[in-house]
Amino acid sequence: EYAYANAFIQHDKNIDFSGIPLPYFLIGLLSAFENRFQAMADKTMKEISWKQFFAIICIKMCKESPTINELAEIMGSSHQNVKQILLKLEKKDFVKIIIDKDDKRKQRILLTEHCKEFCQKNDAMSQAIMESLFYQISPEQLQTTIKTIIQVEDNLKKLEGE
């Protein structure tokens, strides 16, 4: 049995969330947040979309140039979707897709100088947005939220494996 959304959660006067089980409310909240965040980021970035920038962030986290499949796994997306994002980034000279020297079947992704310059140029703006976004949210609140989302994601992976 789930707890239900209540008046405490009511942050929009025009919508009644009472009676919605909290897990359903959280999934809806995360989905709506992702949409709003993506729209804001797309407007802010100008040169590339949020999904393209997210791919770049994920590539930068890798210790070595990832394959398309590795990047798809990190991004939580399909190979086809990631390939489309990468082709757009390649056209804009943000990434270079090369054949793996040890396994000709694999394609690896490299960030270009243009991409590195773009990231440097936009770093201060990104930091300012993140600071504003997480204003008055404690590290403890963030850690709890991260732990919860990781647990839900682990549960999702178990469901997918069934």
Side-chain angles (χ1 to χ4, degrees):
E1 187 64 29
Y2 300 122
Y4 291 90
N6 57 33
F8 173 73
I9 289 174
Q10 232 28 64
H11 70 280
D12 185 328
K13 289 183 283 212
N14 299 319
I15 302 172
D16 180 13
F17 293 112
S18 61
I20 297 176
L22 288 178
Y24 293 78
F25 181 82
L26 179 59
I27 293 296
L29 190 63
L30 289 170
S31 295
F33 173 80
E34 167 63 16
N35 291 338
R36 282 191 283 277
F37 181 81
Q38 184 176 339
M40 182 276 302
D42 285 351
K43 254 191 280 181
T44 307
M45 293 277 168
K46 304 208 184 354
E47 212 174 325
I48 59 173
S49 72
W50 162 246
K51 288 189 187 228
Q52 291 166 348
F53 190 57
F54 182 60
I56 291 167
I57 292 167
C58 293
I59 294 165
K60 285 174 73 173
M61 289 189 316
C62 295
K63 290 178 180 159
E64 65 174 326
S65 300
T67 64
I68 295 173
N69 283 337
E70 289 166 348
L71 184 60
E73 175 67 26
I74 294 165
M75 292 179 67
S77 194
S78 70
H79 179 278
Q80 296 91 325
N81 286 346
V82 171
K83 179 78 176 188
Q84 289 306 308
I85 290 168
L86 292 172
L87 289 173
K88 288 175 185 169
L89 284 170
E90 191 174 41
K91 275 184 186 166
K92 296 175 182 182
D93 191 34
F94 278 80
V95 301
K96 190 171 169 63
I97 301 171
I98 60 164
I99 302 298
D100 184 287
K101 63 182 181 307
D102 299 323
D103 185 344
K104 304 290 181 222
R105 296 167 298 174
K106 293 180 181 178
Q107 294 179 307
R108 294 211 172 265
I109 308 133
L110 303 172
L111 299 177
T112 64
E113 275 310 307
H114 176 68
C115 180
K116 292 171 187 171
E117 288 166 14
F118 174 87
C119 290
Q120 268 186 316
K121 189 176 79 179
N122 288 285
D123 190 48
M125 178 195 57
S126 294
Q127 283 184 7
I129 289 170
M130 294 307 275
E131 285 173 21
S132 296
L133 202 54
F134 290 95
Y135 176 68
Q136 293 187 328
I137 297 174
S138 71
E140 294 77 23
Q141 287 172 301
L142 272 175
Q143 287 175 338
T144 299
T145 303
I146 291 167
K147 276 185 190 172
T148 302
I149 291 172
I150 287 172
Q151 182 62 58
V152 171
E153 187 170 28
D154 289 347
N155 293 345
L156 177 63
K157 286 177 183 170
K158 287 176 191 161
L159 278 174
E160 288 172 333
E162 291 180 351

